Amino acid sequence: MAAQLLEEKLTCAICLGLYQDPVTLPCGHNFCGACIRDWWDRCGKACPECREPFPDGAELRRNVALSGVLEAQLRASLEVTQQQATQAEGQLLELQKQRSQIQNSACILASWVSGKFSSLLQALEMQHTAALRSIDVAKTRVLAQARDEEQRLRGHLEAVARHGCRIQELLEQVDEQTFLQESQLLQPPGPLGPLTPLQWDEDQQLGDLKQLLSRLCGLLLEEGGHPGAPAKPVDLGPMEAPGPLAPVPSTVCPLRRKLWQNYRNLTFDPISANRHFYLSRQDQQVKHCRQSQGPGRPGRFELWQVQCTQSFQAGHHYWEVRASDHSVTLGVSYPQLSRCRVGPHTDNIGRGPCSWGLCVQGDSLQAWHNGQAQRLPGVSGRLLGMDLDLASGCLTFYSLEPQTQPLYTFHAPFNQPLTPVFWLLEGRTLTLCHQPGAVFPPGPQEGVLS
């Protein structure tokens, strides 16, 4: 209250601001020197408040006391302002320090997480390779045992057949002396003996791996897909003719679950695969190897490409692909896509009017069609989805990790059958993900899927 009253006392009645060079009239009222002179020029020499005339010949005098009070107040205000500036600068430095610490901490956390996941993936890959190698070794041993047993049985069958033929010959012998002599010399084959059981035990082949994978799935796949929900152990079930690839997890977002309504299980076409491509897992996985897998033949891509066995002419279709790393291209093409290499390029997906593709690079994406590229921001690019709606003429690419998001959509009439086609750099691997219960499109002998 006191500060407010003091401010009112130090306010000029003309400009309503703090006094600037205050002067006092004979009547005792105070004004800014410039304000009172301007007032007199416009309204005559009189006090603006009490209307008392200002004597002719008198001079305005500076109010020393009032000027001192104003100067003291301004200095105090300046000191407060300087203190506030110092405080703001300190807070700004503290904020910058905290921001830098957060950036460094986030970088360290990201590096730590990446390192842990890299180690985990490496360990899983080692376990995967070792398990498959162990199964293959056991299979080879048991099949060798089966071949030995098969040879024993076939040898016994041949001996029995020869013995039977010899008996038939003796029965047809007309010379009784010869019949009696050779009948006494005839010896039947030895006993067959029991069938040796093949030593194949699924539980023994898996060992502790099944329980280990169950616990690992329980830790990673949260119940209902909600973060923080308690983990539920996943039962791998009996080992009855296991599929070549693990099914896609069921914990998905609503958008991805909606896309799954049109899921298609696809396979790579071995006839189209470049000679450096190695197909495995029932043609669901392809790897680009340095060593050639065989000579060139009709139908093979000279480019580093492979297409799917299935094609689409109508309807709505969706499929997913997992890449081991970047530097891969996903797309679709008409049947006339060239298999030959022309120029320096190792691919032709999207470089002409008959194909559309999405090239995944280390730091960006490129959507290609008719030789023109649309550069897009980079994403994880390991698990990708392709949604083809031929009725509306839309081809949409999706990134599925860490969350489902559309990347780019091509719009075209699509007036010919479309076949999924892929390009991958040396050392890269592509896997066509299969969804249990999804429609398995027909092969080329059955025509395109509508």
Side-chain angles (χ1 to χ4, degrees):
M1 179 66 71
Q4 183 177 359
L5 292 176
L6 177 61
E7 184 174 352
E8 291 177 356
K9 296 294 184 180
L10 300 177
T11 300
C12 174
I14 298 176
C15 67
L16 302 180
L18 293 178
Y19 289 121
Q20 301 290 330
D21 188 22
V23 295
T24 303
L25 302 186
C27 61
H29 293 117
N30 301 303
F31 303 95
C32 297
C35 292
I36 192 59
R37 292 185 181 90
D38 178 68
W39 176 272
W40 285 349
D41 290 340
R42 291 183 290 106
C43 303
K45 287 190 174 183
C47 177
E49 292 195 26
C50 64
R51 304 299 180 184
E52 180 178 334
F54 186 75
D56 294 335
E59 294 182 0
L60 289 172
R61 295 185 177 274
R62 182 170 179 265
N63 191 322
V64 178
L66 192 57
S67 296
V69 172
L70 285 170
E71 183 178 352
Q73 187 183 37
L74 290 175
R75 290 186 181 278
S77 178
L78 177 62
E79 184 178 354
V80 171
T81 302
Q82 290 176 341
Q83 291 176 352
Q84 292 178 350
T86 302
Q87 183 180 8
E89 290 175 353
Q91 292 179 355
L92 179 61
L93 291 175
E94 180 63 25
L95 179 62
Q96 293 174 342
K97 180 181 177 182
Q98 292 179 3
R99 184 176 64 182
S100 177
Q101 290 175 344
I102 291 173
Q103 289 175 338
N104 292 336
S105 176
C107 183
I108 294 172
L109 287 176
S111 177
W112 182 85
V113 169
S114 298
K116 290 297 182 182
F117 271 95
S118 296
S119 300
L120 178 60
L121 291 173
Q122 183 179 6
L124 287 174
E125 186 62 29
M126 292 174 62
Q127 287 279 355
H128 178 210
T129 303
L132 293 181
R133 185 185 300 114
S134 176
I135 291 173
D136 190 63
V137 169
K139 178 194 71 173
T140 302
R141 183 182 65 251
V142 174
L143 292 182
Q145 179 188 359
R147 285 194 299 271
D148 294 342
E149 193 70 4
E150 181 181 1
Q151 291 178 1
R152 182 180 70 85
L153 293 174
R154 290 187 183 279
H156 188 80
L157 285 173
E158 292 175 359
V160 170
R162 289 194 301 269
H163 185 70
C165 291
R166 185 56 182 157
I167 291 176
Q168 186 65 35
E169 292 175 355
L170 289 175
L171 292 175
E172 297 174 357
Q173 179 62 251
V174 295
D175 185 354
E176 293 184 0
Q177 184 177 0
T178 302
F179 174 80
L180 292 173
Q181 289 177 351
E182 295 192 5
S183 296
Q184 294 176 358
L185 296 175
L186 185 64
Q187 295 293 330
L192 175 61
L195 179 67
T196 303
L198 300 180
Q199 302 299 317
W200 178 259
D201 187 342
E202 291 178 351
D203 292 333
Q204 183 179 1
Q205 296 304 320
L206 289 178
D208 297 332
L209 184 60
K210 183 176 179 180
Q211 184 179 3
L212 173 63
L213 292 178
S214 296
R215 293 200 306 269
L216 184 59
C217 290
L219 290 172
L220 296 180
L221 303 180
E222 298 170 333
E223 183 178 6
H226 301 293
K232 181 179 179 181
V234 179
D235 184 11
L236 296 182
M239 301 303 295
E240 297 178 358
L245 294 176
V248 182
S250 60
T251 54
V252 293
C253 69
L255 174 58
R256 191 176 177 195
R257 188 173 295 280
K258 182 179 179 181
L259 292 170
W260 279 5
Q261 296 175 2
N262 302 296
Y263 205 99
R264 303 290 180 258
N265 291 335
L266 306 179
T267 55
F268 293 114
D269 178 17
I271 297 177
S272 69
N274 178 274
R275 62 191 183 94
H276 290 278
F277 284 7
Y278 174 73
L279 270 60
S280 61
R281 298 188 178 183
Q282 299 182 8
D283 296 336
Q284 291 173 236
Q285 188 174 86
V286 60
K287 182 175 183 179
H288 187 163
C289 304
R290 180 182 296 272
Q291 184 177 0
S292 173
Q293 302 300 314
R297 60 170 178 257
R300 260 190 172 173
F301 276 108
E302 293 181 6
L303 303 150
W304 292 348
Q305 294 177 185
V306 62
Q307 69 180 25
C308 282
T309 305
Q310 299 79 15
S311 297
F312 306 105
Q313 191 167 9
H316 197 164
H317 316 278
Y318 174 77
W319 60 95
E320 294 178 356
V321 178
R322 180 173 291 279
S324 62
D325 207 340
H326 59 80
S327 300
V328 298
T329 300
L330 288 64
V332 296
S333 74
Y334 288 155
Q336 63 265 33
L337 182 68
S338 175
R339 306 293 176 97
C340 300
R341 178 171 179 172
V342 179
H345 299 297
T346 59
D347 78 303
N348 61 358
I349 303 175
R351 297 191 183 275
C354 66
S355 59
W356 297 258
L358 182 76
C359 180
V360 181
Q361 299 295 339
D363 57 349
S364 67
L365 304 172
Q366 293 180 359
W368 279 88
H369 175 62
N370 204 17
Q372 297 182 350
Q374 176 71 37
R375 190 178 179 88
L376 308 171
V379 295
S380 171
R382 297 295 181 89
L383 184 59
L384 299 166
M386 298 177 63
D387 184 63
L388 176 61
D389 188 352
L390 291 165
S392 61
C394 294
L395 172 64
T396 303
F397 295 87
Y398 288 89
S399 172
L400 306 176
E401 293 177 340
Q403 60 185 5
T404 303
Q405 58 175 326
L407 299 175
Y408 191 80
T409 299
F410 288 105
H411 298 276
F414 297 135
N415 50 20
Q416 298 184 47
L418 287 171
T419 304
V421 61
F422 308 91
W423 170 89
L424 54 158
L425 192 65
E426 182 181 331
R428 303 303 192 259
T429 300
L430 281 178
T431 303
L432 292 167
C433 302
H434 277 202
Q435 175 72 291
V439 175
F440 210 111
Q445 70 276 10
E446 302 171 82
V448 295
L449 185 69
S450 60

